[in-house]
Short mmCIF file of all heavy atoms in Angstrom, two decimals:
data_model
loop_
_atom_site.label_atom_id
_atom_site.label_comp_id
_atom_site.label_asym_id
_atom_site.label_seq_id
_atom_site.Cartn_x
_atom_site.Cartn_y
_atom_site.Cartn_z
N LEU A 90 24.13 82.17 63.93
CA LEU A 90 24.96 81.05 63.44
C LEU A 90 24.10 79.95 62.83
O LEU A 90 24.38 79.42 61.76
CB LEU A 90 25.71 80.41 64.61
CG LEU A 90 27.16 80.76 64.84
CD1 LEU A 90 27.68 79.96 66.02
CD2 LEU A 90 27.97 80.46 63.59
N LEU A 91 23.03 79.60 63.56
CA LEU A 91 22.18 78.50 63.09
C LEU A 91 21.39 78.91 61.86
O LEU A 91 21.10 78.09 60.98
CB LEU A 91 21.26 78.02 64.21
CG LEU A 91 22.00 77.36 65.38
CD1 LEU A 91 21.04 76.99 66.50
CD2 LEU A 91 22.77 76.13 64.94
N ASP A 92 21.05 80.21 61.78
CA ASP A 92 20.38 80.70 60.56
C ASP A 92 21.32 80.60 59.36
O ASP A 92 20.90 80.30 58.25
CB ASP A 92 19.94 82.16 60.74
CG ASP A 92 18.66 82.27 61.55
OD1 ASP A 92 17.86 81.31 61.48
OD2 ASP A 92 18.48 83.28 62.24
N ALA A 93 22.61 80.84 59.62
CA ALA A 93 23.58 80.89 58.52
C ALA A 93 23.98 79.49 58.03
O ALA A 93 24.42 79.35 56.89
CB ALA A 93 24.82 81.65 58.97
N HIS A 94 23.88 78.49 58.90
CA HIS A 94 24.29 77.13 58.51
C HIS A 94 23.05 76.29 58.27
O HIS A 94 22.28 76.06 59.20
CB HIS A 94 25.15 76.50 59.60
CG HIS A 94 26.51 77.13 59.71
ND1 HIS A 94 26.74 78.26 60.46
CD2 HIS A 94 27.70 76.79 59.17
CE1 HIS A 94 28.02 78.59 60.37
NE2 HIS A 94 28.62 77.72 59.59
N ALA A 95 22.90 75.83 57.05
CA ALA A 95 21.66 75.14 56.67
C ALA A 95 21.43 73.89 57.51
O ALA A 95 22.33 73.11 57.75
CB ALA A 95 21.73 74.76 55.19
N LEU A 96 20.18 73.75 57.96
CA LEU A 96 19.74 72.52 58.64
C LEU A 96 18.67 71.89 57.76
O LEU A 96 18.07 72.57 56.93
CB LEU A 96 19.14 72.86 60.01
CG LEU A 96 20.11 73.43 61.04
CD1 LEU A 96 19.38 73.83 62.30
CD2 LEU A 96 21.19 72.41 61.36
N PRO A 97 18.39 70.60 57.95
CA PRO A 97 17.32 69.99 57.14
C PRO A 97 15.99 70.73 57.35
O PRO A 97 15.71 71.19 58.46
CB PRO A 97 17.23 68.56 57.69
CG PRO A 97 18.51 68.32 58.42
CD PRO A 97 19.00 69.66 58.88
N ASP A 98 15.18 70.83 56.30
CA ASP A 98 13.89 71.53 56.39
C ASP A 98 12.97 70.95 57.46
O ASP A 98 12.15 71.66 58.04
CB ASP A 98 13.16 71.47 55.04
CG ASP A 98 13.72 72.51 54.09
OD1 ASP A 98 14.42 73.43 54.57
OD2 ASP A 98 13.46 72.39 52.87
N ARG A 99 13.09 69.64 57.68
CA ARG A 99 12.17 68.99 58.62
C ARG A 99 12.47 69.36 60.06
O ARG A 99 11.72 69.01 60.97
CB ARG A 99 12.22 67.47 58.45
CG ARG A 99 13.59 66.88 58.76
CD ARG A 99 13.61 65.37 58.79
NE ARG A 99 14.94 64.91 59.14
CZ ARG A 99 15.92 64.71 58.27
NH1 ARG A 99 15.71 64.89 56.99
NH2 ARG A 99 17.12 64.32 58.68
N THR A 100 13.60 70.05 60.32
CA THR A 100 14.02 70.32 61.69
C THR A 100 13.83 71.78 62.06
O THR A 100 14.35 72.68 61.40
CB THR A 100 15.52 69.98 61.87
OG1 THR A 100 15.80 68.77 61.20
CG2 THR A 100 15.88 69.86 63.34
N ASP A 101 13.06 72.02 63.14
CA ASP A 101 12.95 73.37 63.70
C ASP A 101 14.01 73.54 64.77
O ASP A 101 14.45 72.55 65.37
CB ASP A 101 11.58 73.55 64.38
CG ASP A 101 10.48 73.64 63.35
OD1 ASP A 101 10.75 74.11 62.23
OD2 ASP A 101 9.35 73.21 63.67
N PHE A 102 14.39 74.77 65.02
CA PHE A 102 15.26 74.98 66.19
C PHE A 102 14.85 76.20 66.98
O PHE A 102 14.24 77.15 66.46
CB PHE A 102 16.74 75.00 65.81
CG PHE A 102 17.16 76.20 65.01
CD1 PHE A 102 17.56 77.35 65.65
CD2 PHE A 102 17.17 76.16 63.62
CE1 PHE A 102 17.97 78.46 64.93
CE2 PHE A 102 17.57 77.27 62.90
CZ PHE A 102 17.96 78.42 63.56
N VAL A 103 15.15 76.12 68.28
CA VAL A 103 14.86 77.18 69.24
C VAL A 103 16.14 77.41 70.01
O VAL A 103 16.88 76.47 70.26
CB VAL A 103 13.76 76.71 70.23
CG1 VAL A 103 13.46 77.79 71.26
CG2 VAL A 103 12.51 76.27 69.51
N VAL A 104 16.42 78.67 70.36
CA VAL A 104 17.61 78.97 71.17
C VAL A 104 17.16 79.62 72.47
O VAL A 104 16.37 80.57 72.45
CB VAL A 104 18.57 79.90 70.41
CG1 VAL A 104 19.82 80.19 71.26
CG2 VAL A 104 18.98 79.30 69.06
N VAL A 105 17.63 79.09 73.60
CA VAL A 105 17.31 79.69 74.90
C VAL A 105 18.62 79.92 75.66
O VAL A 105 19.60 79.21 75.44
CB VAL A 105 16.36 78.80 75.75
CG1 VAL A 105 15.03 78.60 75.04
CG2 VAL A 105 16.99 77.46 76.08
N PRO A 106 18.64 80.91 76.57
CA PRO A 106 19.86 81.13 77.36
C PRO A 106 20.03 80.09 78.46
O PRO A 106 19.04 79.63 79.04
CB PRO A 106 19.64 82.53 77.97
CG PRO A 106 18.19 82.81 77.87
CD PRO A 106 17.59 81.92 76.82
N GLY A 107 21.29 79.71 78.72
CA GLY A 107 21.58 78.67 79.71
C GLY A 107 21.83 79.22 81.10
O GLY A 107 21.60 80.40 81.38
#
Side-chain angles (χ1 to χ4, degrees):
L90 260 182
L91 294 176
D92 281 331
H94 290 85
L96 294 175
D98 280 345
R99 62 172 182 272
T100 318
D101 288 330
F102 69 88
V103 179
V104 181
V105 299

